[in-house]
Amino acid sequence: MLDVQLPGLSLKNPIMPASGCFGFGREYSNLYDLSQLGSIMIKASTQEPRFGNPTPRVAETEAGMLNAIGLQNPGVDKVVAEELVWLEQFDVPIIANVAGSQVEDYVYVAEKISQSKNVHALELNISCPNVKTGGIAFGTVPEIAAQLTKAVKEVSAVPVYVKLSPNVANIVEMAKAIENAGADGLTMINTLIGMRLDLKTGKPVIANKTGGLSGPAIKPVAIRMIYEVSQNVSIPIIGMGGVQSVDDVIEFLYAGASAVAVGTANFVNPFICPEIIQQLPDRLRELGFEHVNECVGRSWK
Amino acid sequence: MLDVQLPGLSLKNPIMPASGCFGFGREYSNLYDLSQLGSIMIKASTQEPRFGNPTPRVAETEAGMLNAIGLQNPGVDKVVAEELVWLEQFDVPIIANVAGSQVEDYVYVAEKISQSKNVHALELNISCPNVKTGGIAFGTVPEIAAQLTKAVKEVSAVPVYVKLSPNVANIVEMAKAIENAGADGLTMINTLIGMRLDLKTGKPVIANKTGGLSGPAIKPVAIRMIYEVSQNVSIPIIGMGGVQSVDDVIEFLYAGASAVAVGTANFVNPFICPEIIQQLPDRLRELGFEHVNECVGRSWK
Amino acid sequence: MIKKELMVVTKQEEIAKHIFQLTLKGDLVSEMGEPGQFVHLKVSEGTTPLLRRPISISKINKERNEFTMIYRAEGAGTQLLSKKQAEDVVDVLGPLGHGFPIGEAKAGQTALLVGGGIGVPPLYELSTQLAAKGVKVHHVLGFQTKSAVFLEEEFSKLGTTIITTDDGSYGYKGFVTSAIADYNLEYDVMYSCGPTPMLKALEKQFGNKPLFLSLEERMGCGIGACFACVCHTGDDIHGTSYKKVCSDGPVFKAGEVVL
Amino acid sequence: MIKKELMVVTKQEEIAKHIFQLTLKGDLVSEMGEPGQFVHLKVSEGTTPLLRRPISISKINKERNEFTMIYRAEGAGTQLLSKKQAEDVVDVLGPLGHGFPIGEAKAGQTALLVGGGIGVPPLYELSTQLAAKGVKVHHVLGFQTKSAVFLEEEFSKLGTTIITTDDGSYGYKGFVTSAIADYNLEYDVMYSCGPTPMLKALEKQFGNKPLFLSLEERMGCGIGACFACVCHTGDDIHGTSYKKVCSDGPVFKAGEVVL
Ligand SMILES: Cc1cc2nc3c(=O)[nH]c(=O)nc-3n(C[C@H](O)[C@H](O)[C@H](O)COP(=O)(O)OP(=O)(O)OC[C@H]3O[C@@H](n4cnc5c(N)ncnc54)[C@H](O)[C@@H]3O)c2cc1C
Ligand SMILES: Cc1cc2nc3c(=O)[nH]c(=O)nc-3n(C[C@H](O)[C@H](O)[C@H](O)COP(=O)(O)OP(=O)(O)OC[C@H]3O[C@@H](n4cnc5c(N)ncnc54)[C@H](O)[C@@H]3O)c2cc1C
Ligand SMILES: Cc1cc2nc3c(=O)[nH]c(=O)nc-3n(C[C@H](O)[C@H](O)[C@H](O)COP(=O)(O)O)c2cc1C
Ligand SMILES: Cc1cc2nc3c(=O)[nH]c(=O)nc-3n(C[C@H](O)[C@H](O)[C@H](O)COP(=O)(O)O)c2cc1C
Ligand code: FES
Ligand code: FES
């Protein structure tokens, strides 16, 4: 009753950790069997290794948190050779998050990482608010996002999902441009750009000044955007933004997501993904569903 | 130590209730003396009376709430004749929130309401997410916002502040366009667009489907935008979005606001504005300030 | 006058399945009087849940400076409330709104009080006050099922009390409207509080006689400032006239507002 | 192994101004061993505060299945934590990270333990374990002022204990570094935990001898997955090599990472 079929992805269940909130799975593999997961969205890979931003990189806010990790990663070659090979021991399809500063970077990483045998889909991170170049620009101008999507589609060996930034006035326009450029799916939402100031120093708590706002605080924005986009595109959506519980998952499905990723909540409760997977069948039955698919888009269908 | 001078506004202190969260002050006048307030941002007035949206119009979210009141008001003539005249008994300058569906509506209301003797400034609501026409469109396209600002400036008898929508990719661009069009100040932020679904019905909790997200959840977005805008314009900003305490007020001042409005928190604690005003001097002294002005823009100065 | 006070819990008990009776003590009680008014409660210190919760006043005890509420622990807010124990404090704003006009029933007349589920509690203070001034009171109280029934004994002491359940597991099986008809209850004024479908049915069938209805609506401020809780008025031709449930209501004369 | 458990408060007391000592009981204690490890605490059920709080383990009592932490109630999270009473539960994730290498000090050798403020607590379990294996322990513990001093008696039982205060209101007046020099303390291995400026000063003055430092950094996950808590490594030429305070640390050999 939980299986979900999406381009490139044949999922046991619709639950997966969100990119950047699960590393490459190693730490969580000490806590539970990763094969239980529907999929894993691994941390963003870039062409070259990156250290990311100076610390402090996180700050807590009301019902949320800011982060400015800045795409720290060992570079795509190491990710492919070490992390993805290590992940092969688990029976779980990987969604590889791809980032960069210019189109060529994305193309390079996408071509390379999409060859890994357990990578079943790419997630183009055109919406990272925490890097100086690239990232967010790709995520706020529809034409640029479309170009990037096309370029990556040409080289990718697996279906391409594009991760939308919520920091736009018209999310539907953006989604349509990306769909028209050939994307196989969308993932949404990335973080809202936010800031917190220290009361004593008067300065931003985060060294990078601004950070990406995630967690329960942003859920209403995520639900609204998925609701709007899902009615206007015909490619599937993997939803995320503030999911904390099985009920939140169902709300995302109702809004129009076909699967749901859990980000920040992994920090609060590292067992949240398997817990939700375990609770989902009963909760679905309680609400009168026989299959998780029946929930998808129920808010507008 | 609390007095603040802004275009058109000579304020006893920098604290005022935000538009739509205080009606026209009548209800709160039963609870405390409104003359304590720095100013009052009254509920939006439109040319004709409006009932607004069907109920439910509010829904709670994590550390926030959604509203879709839909600019309910008795029309500018009644506001001028009944509400503003009634407010004359208090020693408090009024900021009149002006809304409409097209430029002519705004111009009509602005011209009329700006003549009231206790209206010391207008706040152009170009960012209301809860009305079908107008509102948000004015708030997301810089050229349209600029045109509207110009048109209203021509007829207004008092300084014009423009209220910015956070639902844009580039808030600085918007702010600059409005500054160049002649605005005397900015107020920010209005609500983020959000949605909540009912778990049992699968449908939006709010009859209007989407609503405006306010409250502590959006504070990091407000702080970030004020931080960005205040460094790029030379007109003053009245900040708002999730203020709940005296420390929040100081954070908004640090970010670059010259005065601060309190919205949703009035519903949680109807005495919040006078409480903050009372606490502010001590808190400022504790932090080493002699005048509230010293906090303004401290995060980047 | 509306006040805000940190009131002290003197007693909290579960009186039916998920139904809690909570008694609070404090000076705010001296402001209470009209049956059918409500209070707006902040159930936690932090930001979750953020908003206050409206709960009707069910009994007022001026001598002891106490009042009682009865509520169903359902969502996050009421569940937190149900965990409060004696000596804990609750942040109360109230009393709010306009309640039932007891002046509409004269001594010697008969009042019919019709409640549905969690709409039953405010009728208790109403019935007490009516009975005290010599009005004969009948009660028809509808519940979903046997385990949800509460206050039967208390109401019975004040007047005839008919309990109905939707599933027939206790008392009369069926809706309160059918019970009123089947029992052929005579009355001069009807007062009611309960789910909107019930209020609508009552208005349709008994709107020709004096009828007062207590409404529910999602609220923001609870004091009339935010316009969250408005409803259209019955006689409105322009579509812009309104009443606020929180401050003009929650009790309205049938027909005054559109249900 | 890292576990998550709802542990039960057996005792909580304020041992200095705003400084609380909290003892928790539960099976998770059987996983503890290394001094200097920490736990990650969720102090409330709801979403405020959202994140866990990292607090060092200060005493381990395997027999009673208990461990103790000492923390300063400062922000929202630690203030909520300080309100927990016996029999309340706390959601604990742990034990986390790598602690102080006690193997670096051999029986008969002398270890100097240098703590600053709220960095003092983890040194207590360290000292206990060192003393138990026959290492001579000296302690230099710095505090801001007299009212902030804690655990002096406990440390004194294990070895020489010098207390310093910034304002001279108690013990030696001045920084721990000056105290070490002034008292001419001899040692084989130094272990330290405290504010970064203190650690930097120690590294500068005593980095030529074995020195282990426990670092603090803002954390997300606490288990090594989110990259919130990284620091540059000391020998890095490309600038991309890193260590995570939560899982590689919090204790590092001096020079291993850039402070
Ligand atoms: C005037 C008035 C009097 C009331 N008196 C009583 C009473 O005596 N006993 C009782 O059990 N209930 C009463 N209610 C209903 C009560 O307010 C809701 O059950 C309660 O707010 C639900 O909160 P929650 O945290 O359990 O649910 P949640 O689902 O967490 O609530 C989420 C939001 O929706 C609002 N909400 C949810 N249900 C309702 C509702 N039915 N009416 C209004 N707002 C709602 C909440 O206030 C909150 O803002 C009354 C409502 C009103 C308007
Ligand atoms: C490995 C480690 C061990 C620690 N051991 C102790 C201990 O034994 N006793 C003790 O009193 N304190 C200890 N701290 C510091 C403690 O974690 C913070 O004081 C605490 O998190 C502050 O939370 P708050 O809710 O009081 O503050 P808030 O200001 O509400 O915290 C807001 C956010 O900032 C983080 N934060 C604030 N200050 C710090 C800090 N100094 N270090 C890391 N994160 C911080 C919080 O965790 C939270 O995410 C330790 C920190 C680390 C990293
Ligand atoms: C610490 C942290 C790091 C993140 N890193 C990435 C990343 O590398 N790539 C990416 O696409 N999204 C990244 N995100 C965004 C999340 O994948 C997710 O879209 C967002 O946090 C909203 O979901 P949540 O509220 O459940 O956390 C990161 C989020 C956090 C909190
Ligand atoms: C119920 C409600 C009604 C509002 N009505 C208006 C309005 O009429 N005009 C306007 O400019 N803003 C309106 N706002 C937005 C607030 O003025 C404010 O910008 C926003 O709520 C953020 O501040 P807060 O988080 O403190 O509430 C309304 C907000 C709420 C919650
Ligand atoms: S709840 Fe605010 S006006 Fe009624
Ligand atoms: S706190 Fe997440 S990696 Fe250290």
Side-chain angles (χ1 to χ4, degrees), chain B residues 58-61 196 205, chain C residues 18-20 36-40 43 49-58 69-80 96 117-122 150 193 214-220 229 245-246 249-251:
Chain B
V58 295
E60 198 182 42
T61 66
R196 193 180 152 177
V205 171
Chain C
H18 303 313
I19 306 287
F20 290 79
Q37 284 187 299
F38 67 100
V39 290
H40 216 25
V43 300
L50 184 67
L51 298 176
R52 289 176 179 269
R53 299 294 193 260
I55 303 285
S56 301
I57 297 165
S58 153
M69 294 162 285
I70 295 173
Y71 63 93
R72 176 162 40 219
E74 219 176 354
T78 49
Q79 273 178 34
L80 272 175
L96 302 178
I118 208 60
V120 167
F150 57 87
C193 182
S214 181
L215 271 57
E216 261 188 22
E217 190 52 76
R218 303 233 164 194
M219 292 186 175
C229 67
V245 171
C246 70
V251 177

Side-chain angles (χ1 to χ4, degrees), chain C residues 51-107:
Chain C
L51 298 176
R52 289 176 179 269
R53 299 294 193 260
I55 303 285
S56 301
I57 297 165
S58 153
K59 297 181 202 170
I60 307 170
N61 187 331
K62 296 233 175 194
E63 266 165 49
R64 307 179 54 148
N65 238 11
E66 290 181 349
F67 81 102
T68 298
M69 294 162 285
I70 295 173
Y71 63 93
R72 176 162 40 219
E74 219 176 354
T78 49
Q79 273 178 34
L80 272 175
L81 189 62
S82 72
K83 286 181 188 139
K84 300 267 180 186
Q85 296 169 353
E87 289 177 39
D88 286 349
V89 292
V90 183
D91 179 344
V92 182
L93 182 73
L96 302 178
H98 289 97
F100 293 104
I102 57 166
E104 296 285 326
K106 312 273 169 279

Side-chain angles (χ1 to χ4, degrees), chain A residues 9 51 75 80 97 123 127 177 179 189 210 233-234 244 258-259 268:
Chain A
L9 299 164
F51 182 82
V80 167
N97 191 275
E123 180 182 40
S127 48
E179 178 181 37
I189 58 174
T210 61
V233 299
S234 46
Q244 293 200 105
S258 298
V268 182

Side-chain angles (χ1 to χ4, degrees), chain C residues 164-186:
Chain C
T164 76
T165 52
D166 297 356
D167 62 3
S169 54
Y170 190 80
Y172 177 94
K173 176 177 173 158
F175 291 135
V176 289
T177 39
S178 342
I180 299 170
D182 285 0
Y183 281 92
N184 217 336
L185 292 170
E186 296 288 326

Side-chain angles (χ1 to χ4, degrees), chain D residues 40-51:
Chain D
H40 216 24
L41 305 176
K42 179 89 176 91
V43 300
S44 72
E45 277 185 43
T47 50
T48 32
L50 184 67
L51 297 176

